[in-house]
Amino acid sequence: MRLRCYPYTLELSHPFTLSSGTRNTTPVMLVEVEEDGLTGYGEASMPPYLGETHETARAFLLRVELPCSPELSNLGEILRAVDAIAPGNHAAKAGVDIALHDWLGKKLGQPWYRIWGLDPGDAPVSSFTIGIGEREDVLRKVEEAHGFPVFKVKLGCDRDREIIEAVREVTDKPIRVDVNQGWADRDHALRMCEWLASKNVELVEQPMPKEQLEDMAWLRSRSPIPVIADESVSRLADVRKAYGVFDGVNVKLMKATGLREAHAMILAARSLGLKVMLGCMTETSCAISAAAQLSPLADWADLDGALLINNDPFIGATVTGGRVTLTDRPGIGAVKMI
Ligand code: MG
């Protein structure tokens, strides 16, 4: 089976500011696998703070050798071999995993949600992300996202209350808050959770630095709103560590090394009584459409990544007005347009 990759740079519609910094672009590596006249598409999205680049992804993908005619029965074995090439490289591994899933789904003539036996009607609504910004920027983004039923507001700066007050001036829709590890002090984090609860905030994601698990467990036992792990939980082995520390986990293909492990993470989280958010990076509709195949298994979806860019080379599962719409298209359901 042939594997090709192409570096690509996503242009963000607005500068995107998190507690870790601001950026205007996101590097991605588009991955294709081909055999029997079928092409499977995949994608590695590499926000700079996670450490992968076009160069590291290309170097990793050059070492990937895929056997002829993969089947469902040896997909796990193939992906374990890819994983064993080198540690890290989660996004590059996800690119291979997604492309293989796409190719296999096309070979079977079925979308993945159907292969997994899921009902598209079970997909939760998706939030729309509002990055950190000045008051006017925040209000403009809320206005642009008026069709969405729920917002994910990024916090973790010295103007957190001001930002939430600004959003609350113009809408009473539910808000989810993502702090991206921005509150190092647990007493401050608890005061904020109590205040956010009074502002109709549904949940708080990764309030404290990822390694502060004891503080996070302390916070979780006192917070009136659910506390969800993002940066603290990347792969399957991390899900167990979230038990007793968080109320739920945010599962993302780019952290999980792809669909196969993300699916296993969701099942593991469920068995531990943890809630599941299905999230994304800024990504094209290739990776978003892949993640959307899992959306019927999630409590909360945050799949707006392709809506934040203006040069999407794919169409796929859509997230319109927060509604995740899966299609009958086989594989991951994405079509390359250019
Ligand atoms: Mg997050």
Side-chain angles (χ1 to χ4, degrees), residues 229 293 301:
Q293 305 293 315

Side-chain angles (χ1 to χ4, degrees), residues 178 180 205 230 252:
D178 187 358
N180 289 109
E205 187 178 317
D230 184 2
K252 297 178 179 173

Side-chain angles (χ1 to χ4, degrees), residues 18-329:
L18 309 178
S19 60
S20 55
T22 299
R23 66 179 199 271
N24 295 294
T25 59
T26 301
V28 300
M29 188 66 89
L30 303 178
V31 179
E32 294 180 10
V33 296
E34 188 186 331
E35 192 178 305
D36 290 347
L38 290 174
T39 302
Y41 295 103
E43 172 183 2
S45 173
M46 300 171 288
Y49 65 93
L50 293 176
E52 291 182 69
T53 63
H54 282 149
E55 290 69 35
T56 64
R58 186 193 296 282
F60 180 85
L61 292 167
L62 277 172
R63 297 174 66 186
V64 174
E65 283 180 37
L66 298 174
C68 293
S69 308
E71 307 214 17
L72 279 184
S73 57
N74 64 356
L75 179 60
E77 187 187 327
I78 294 168
L79 291 173
R80 274 194 296 280
V82 171
D83 192 25
I85 291 172
N89 295 283
H90 293 187
K93 289 170 183 175
V96 178
D97 165 288
I98 295 167
L100 276 174
H101 276 80
D102 193 37
W103 187 90
L104 270 170
K106 285 171 173 166
K107 188 89 179 164
L108 296 166
Q110 297 289 338
W112 268 91
Y113 69 82
R114 203 172 288 151
I115 295 170
W116 282 314
L118 308 178
D119 179 349
D122 290 340
V125 294
S126 174
S127 51
F128 186 86
T129 302
I130 312 285
I132 290 174
E134 297 299 328
R135 181 187 152 77
E136 297 69 37
D137 298 328
V138 169
L139 290 176
R140 184 165 43 81
K141 286 178 198 161
V142 171
E143 171 62 26
E144 278 175 28
H146 67 272
F148 275 75
V150 51
F151 300 116
K152 183 192 248 193
V153 179
K154 296 286 192 178
L155 295 184
C157 65
D158 53 8
R159 293 180 295 107
D160 288 346
R161 289 186 188 230
E162 195 185 313
I163 290 169
I164 295 296
E165 301 275 18
V167 177
R168 275 288 165 255
E169 276 175 36
V170 291
T171 179
D172 57 4
K173 288 177 185 172
I175 295 174
R176 299 167 190 164
V177 157
D178 187 358
V179 187
N180 289 109
Q181 317 183 69
W183 299 334
D185 179 80
R186 69 183 195 179
D187 293 306
H188 172 68
L190 178 57
R191 281 195 301 277
M192 285 301 296
C193 288
E194 288 168 345
W195 183 78
L196 291 170
S198 75
K199 299 289 173 188
N200 191 22
V201 169
E202 286 186 335
L203 58 84
V204 61
E205 187 178 317
Q206 197 71 43
M208 285 187 280
K210 60 183 178 184
E211 61 281 353
Q212 283 180 223
L213 295 184
E214 270 182 39
D215 288 334
M216 216 88 75
W218 178 92
L219 176 67
R220 181 217 167 217
S221 66
R222 292 163 177 79
S223 170
I225 51 175
V227 180
I228 309 301
D230 184 2
E231 286 86 344
S232 291
V233 172
S234 292
R235 300 196 58 175
L236 180 58
D238 302 320
V239 173
R240 191 174 50 81
K241 298 180 206 158
Y243 178 74
V245 177
F246 293 96
D247 295 295
V249 294
N250 185 346
V251 175
K252 297 178 179 173
L253 300 189
M254 297 302 147
K255 295 189 297 180
T257 72
L259 284 161
R260 189 173 178 89
E261 189 154 326
H263 184 253
M265 287 175 76
I266 293 172
L267 301 185
R270 287 264 173 261
S271 72
L272 294 171
L274 294 164
K275 296 276 194 183
V276 173
M277 179 184 288
L278 187 64
C280 63
M281 310 298 178
T282 39
E283 295 166 0
T284 76
S285 286
C286 175
I288 294 295
S289 193
Q293 305 293 315
L294 287 166
S295 61
L297 288 171
D299 297 293
W300 303 293
D302 180 32
L303 295 177
D304 63 349
L307 303 174
L308 305 176
I309 63 173
N310 58 28
N311 61 342
D312 189 348
F314 288 90
I315 57 168
T318 55
V319 183
T320 310
R323 231 187 106 76
V324 180
T325 306
L326 291 157
T327 71
D328 280 338
R329 282 194 290 266

